Amino acid sequence: MARIGVFICHCGENISATIDVEKVAKLAGKLSGVAYSVDYKYMCSDPGQTLIVDAIKEHKLTGIVVGACSPRMHEGTFRKAAEKAGINPYFCEMANIREHCSWVHPKSDETTRKALDIVRTMVEKVKNNTALFPIKVPITKTALVIGGGIAGIQAALDIANSGHQVIMVEKTPSIGGHMSQLSETFPTLDCSQCILTPRMVEVAQHPNITLHTFATVESVTGFIGNFEVDIRLKAKSVDFEKCTGCGSCWQKCPSKKIPDEFNAGMSFRTAIYTPFPQAVPNKPVIDRANCTWFTKGGKCGVCAKICPTGAIDYNTEDTILSVKVGSIVTATGFDIKHSDFFPEYGYGKHPDIIDGLQFERLASASGPTGGEIRRPSDGKEPETVVFLACAGSRDKAKGIEYCSKICCMYTAKHAMLYKHKNHHGKAHVFYMDIRSAGKSYDEFVRRAIEEDDVNYIRGRVSKIYEKNGKLMVVGVDTLLGAKPVTIEADMVVLATAVVANEDAESVAQKLHISYDKHKFFAEAHPKLKPVETNTAGITLAGACQSAKDIPETVAQASAAAAKTIILFSGSELTREPVVATVNRSAAPVFTTCTGCFLCQEVCPYQAIEREEIRDRAGNLLMNAAKVNAGLCQGCGTCVAMCRNKSIDLQGFSNQQMLSEVMGLLNEPF
Amino acid sequence: MAEPFEPKIVAFVCNWCTYAGADLAGTSRTKYETNVRIIRFPCTGRIDFMLLIKAFQNGADGIIVSGCHPNDCHYTSGNFHARRRWIVFKSMLDFMGFPTERITFSWVSAAEGKKWAELVNETTDSVRALGPFTEYKNLDFTTFNQMDHEAIAR
Amino acid sequence: MQDKAAELLKNGTVNLLIGFSEDLGKRPVPCFIETAEEANILVFNQECKNNLSVYLHKKEVKDAVKIGLVSNIATLRSVMQLLSENQLWSLTITYLTVNTAGALVVLSSAEELEAYVQANFPTCRAEDKEMLDKLNAMTRAERWAYWKDQLSECVKCYACRAVCPMCYCTVCTTECNQPQWIKTSAETSGNFEYHTMRAMHLGGRCINCGECGRICPAGIPVHLLTAQMNLEIEQEFGGKTGWSLKSEYAMNSFKPGDKENFIK
């Protein structure tokens, strides 16, 4: 038999000014199931809470309704008070008679009547409440970081420095990502590799970080705190225990004509190679697709012969490493469009029309031209270079309607680098807008214009073609009234769009995280949860979520690390028990669930699983839905979907919601 | 003397947007009509259409169903499922001849306190003009009234 | 058909065959045969209107595991819909049907069934379309009067639920009394609740066999409710019922671009 206590708060004058609180308390005391009803000036204060605790004990109350402010304010406060008094905190509900009543209506009988209605509604609900207990999920305190660029590196270091184990997986032979390909970074123009490589070495040497390069994530199962991940360790063909990184192998490798990915295709590498001199780990792997031994049935073998430690082993196979982790940070990065997205720009038709990453490699001291800006076609220094900003972004008609964010800044940077290296050269930039919103960013762009004499032309380019050995760039200057402008250039650099990696979709599907139509991974809430995904336990860091520059990437990576550290900070993961459950009972009924699994499809968190119910002989009797309480967030969409009401939401159950509606209407309004 | 008719409006709202919007109306002291009573759900996806019918059956004259704007759902997709459910439910009720103008569906975000107040006022005015929802209550009484009471008494 | 049925029973492909047999000059009735010898009672003609897939949920049928099902196109579509809802996983079914040319067609797998159904997909029945058009042309008040009139006749026998293959819930909402969602007595308001709920639960799943309306002892055209729902759902959201092995249920999916004109 329910013994509900009703506590009506005056809230100073906030409620009592328009509502007759004594009357509400008195009438509430007459409601069926209410054993005690009182009013008081400030329920949330210490004496007010003591009043509640004492009343629960003295009158042996089984549940309470506090008629006061919004539950969004003080539900937690009063639930703690209930717990202190010895009853389950979920037997406490709040009747919102302030924000929804006293503050929005004038002083009148009508307002007092409404307050009583609201209290009565919640009394009816509480009578149907059940005891709920926080759900505890065990946690494996190891993190997986997918991706070894600056985002992954930062996240891994932060988590490792907090004392937890990190496993990092990088698909290329070295960590570093695109940042290692940059020459200098804006807005300071400091050398990219100089700031990056110390971090890379720290990752390699950190006792808490296990680094797997030339490896990919094969599959992910499980849920937050309890993921099981299979990592494919691709066959390196080199035993890293024996290899000393001396470099004799790639110096002698006869396959020298493989386009070098690190140099954006502007030079060649060998089949056995390290991607760049500062690679971490600085040991080579064999690109089997282009290695003579593998493609021509055992011919060659020079590297094995020449290796002083006998580290080459052509017979290794891919292996799968299974690991258990509690949290996953996705830092898989981005790519830029390397295509003739605008055929009229001639990318791919002329070697001197290049994209941003290729220009970075030209400008880079470790690049194919030793840091000198030279035309890929004939190696001469270009006298006029034209840079095209927005060469593929912000264009709804072409399918990339977003802004790639970094191009305005790196275009200014490229123009400045060119001018610093070629003092007499002419640099022109065709732009639509200049987006330089970060710290010291606008000053940087102004420096390009004012100090380095870069000519900024506001207008787009319609065509680039070759004439008499020059690249004719035909554009328009809108600030001079759309005056047509043609520049005879020696080299053209296109700021192409930042896009998701080619394998982004398959990575997202393996992780069960959402992605948008451009294959950028989806955050849980665009403003308030920019690093979490809808899959509990998986966070995002860096450009895999959306185009961003290095400072933002590092900040987001640290945020993802913080989320992971928060998860690892308790011994168990405690979650609010407002979750759905599917009924279960004894044989032969087992459950009223018919196994249609329509609920499974609507759950945004993949929290509904299939359970096979078997008899003792192992025969399958039925398939039924089961909710993973560790993943369920308590939205209740499944509950409204279930035709025979086999699934119910604790805290907002069918019984509770119906009794609220009936309690409200079955008395005089 | 009979009191002028004041409609009973029940509002089914989601916790994260509309309930918060109503809270904001309260904090801003925006005044609106007293006829509405709010029932809180975690998400509009949780609102079972049977509850709406039950509400009408037990005396509600009008109903408001409100939640987060599409793409803003705290649980990502609950309001999308709710929207489909309402489209189908409304057309079914229309087909059965039910006065669907007594149900107001809306999206009210946590920042739209003013919109909430206006919505309540508009709905109250329109339902007041429609009058009490007797057709539903009279569903059962019609057959009773049609019975020949004198014949039965004899 | 009799020969084929006998063959299937004899060679053990089928343990239990569900079909139609004559009933002393009246309409053919469902029959259940287990031996080849009984196969000569089978008939199949235009009068065989029952949707035999409803029997696939019965325990006796499930225990037999290997089933033969004499089907009209509606029955086949019901089976497709049930398969897309994970309901018939324990059964191996062989389907015997007659195509528009009058020839016997035997379908032995789910894929064959899907191909046949998609090739022979029926359109909305003429008499249903006519009634729906008439109802939709009425004013709202007229429709209310019509349904009030019709639903006051309902005695809550639940025959419509019993005959529907898609009503397979082991414990129906009507039987739930904690809380009591639907009034059990046969008052018009309770009837209204029940039929609204049933139509909502069937919307996007019903294949419009029309059995519920046909067998209603009070003569209420309840099949029109679900027929209208399906029309609306197909118009608004696309997707056909009883079409594919993969569930295309409109009510548990959504498109961010779903359009409506009544949400403020």
Side-chain angles (χ1 to χ4, degrees), chain A residues 14 70-72 75 93 96 99-100 103-105 110-111 114 117-118 121 534 602 604-605 633-637 639-641 645 648-649 652-654 657-658 660-662 664-666 669, chain B residues 8-10 12 15-16 19-20 22-23 25-27 29-43 45-48 51 54-55 58-60 74-78 81 85:
Chain A
N14 283 310
S70 170
R72 295 166 68 88
E75 190 174 66
E93 295 281 351
N96 186 340
E99 279 87 336
H100 287 182
W103 271 350
V104 291
H105 300 312
E110 182 55 46
T111 309
K114 179 168 171 173
D117 283 342
I118 296 174
T121 309
N534 273 332
V602 298
Y605 305 101
Q633 302 290 325
C635 72
T637 308
V639 178
M641 190 61 60
K645 315 265 183 269
D648 212 351
L649 183 62
F652 289 94
S653 68
N654 286 316
M657 300 323 293
L658 186 64
E660 271 195 60
V661 174
M662 299 307 231
L664 174 61
L665 290 164
N666 284 341
F669 224 57
Chain B
K8 299 181 190 175
I9 318 263
V10 184
F12 296 88
N15 176 56
W16 301 95
Y19 195 91
D23 277 354
T27 350
R29 313 291 196 274
T30 317
K31 301 279 183 268
Y32 52 85
E33 303 254 25
T34 52
N35 307 59
V36 76
R37 308 283 187 267
I38 294 176
I39 311 254
R40 181 170 76 125
F41 287 81
C43 179
R46 170 69 185 91
I47 302 175
D48 195 324
L51 283 173
K54 281 293 189 200
N58 284 278
H74 179 87
Y75 303 99
T76 334
S77 53
H81 290 295
R85 204 179 295 143

Side-chain angles (χ1 to χ4, degrees), chain A residues 384 386 428 430 457 461-465 467 471-477 483-489:
Chain A
T384 306
V386 174
H428 304 270
F430 278 95
I457 305 169
V461 169
S462 59
K463 195 174 153 140
I464 301 176
Y465 63 95
K467 185 170 156 193
L471 292 166
M472 311 297 281
V473 181
V474 183
V476 69
D477 190 337
K483 179 173 117 147
V485 170
T486 302
I487 301 180
E488 296 185 16

Side-chain angles (χ1 to χ4, degrees), chain B residues 102-124:
Chain B
R102 287 185 182 272
I103 312 178
T104 305
F105 296 97
S106 72
W107 309 124
V108 173
S109 80
E112 291 175 317
K114 201 151 151 284
K115 183 175 177 186
W116 172 249
E118 282 165 3
L119 185 73
V120 172
N121 286 340
E122 267 169 36
T123 309
T124 310

Side-chain angles (χ1 to χ4, degrees), chain B residues 48-51 53-54 57 70-71 77 80-81 83-101 104-108 115 119 122-123 133 135-136 138-140 142-143, chain C residues 132 135-136 140 143-144 147-148 151-152 180-183 187-190 192-193 195-197 199-201 224-225 228-229 232-233 236-237 250-260 262-264:
Chain B
D48 195 324
F49 63 86
M50 284 306 299
L51 283 173
I53 298 189
K54 281 293 189 200
Q57 203 182 63
N71 287 316
S77 53
F80 285 130
H81 290 295
R83 178 166 63 178
R84 277 214 170 177
R85 204 179 295 143
W86 300 343
I87 292 174
V88 168
F89 187 54
K90 181 171 184 294
S91 80
M92 218 211 64
L93 288 182
D94 271 332
F95 181 66
M96 296 186 92
F98 197 97
T100 49
E101 57 271 14
T104 305
F105 296 97
S106 72
W107 309 124
V108 173
K115 183 175 177 186
L119 185 73
E122 267 169 36
T123 309
F133 187 32
E135 299 100 294
Y136 203 94
N138 284 344
L139 264 182
D140 301 328
T142 324
T143 41
Chain C
L132 285 179
L135 281 168
N136 281 317
R140 227 217 345 244
R143 278 201 293 273
W144 178 260
W147 286 112
K148 191 168 78 170
L151 292 177
S152 62
Q180 183 76 49
W181 288 101
I182 316 267
K183 285 197 260 199
E187 313 163 278
T188 316
S189 61
F192 186 86
E193 274 179 342
H195 287 285
T196 314
M197 178 212 76
M200 282 296 288
H201 283 183
L224 293 179
L225 290 171
Q228 173 70 12
M229 287 226 78
E232 286 279 347
I233 290 177
E236 289 275 353
F237 309 121
M251 299 309 291
N252 76 343
S253 56
F254 65 88
K255 289 202 188 69
D258 284 338
K259 291 246 176 297
E260 36 63 29
F262 59 88
I263 303 184
K264 299 216 173 125

Side-chain angles (χ1 to χ4, degrees), chain A residues 173-189:
Chain A
S174 167
I175 55 176
H178 284 305
M179 192 174 167
S180 58
Q181 290 174 290
L182 306 180
S183 63
E184 275 125 350
T185 56
F186 55 77
T188 43
L189 288 184

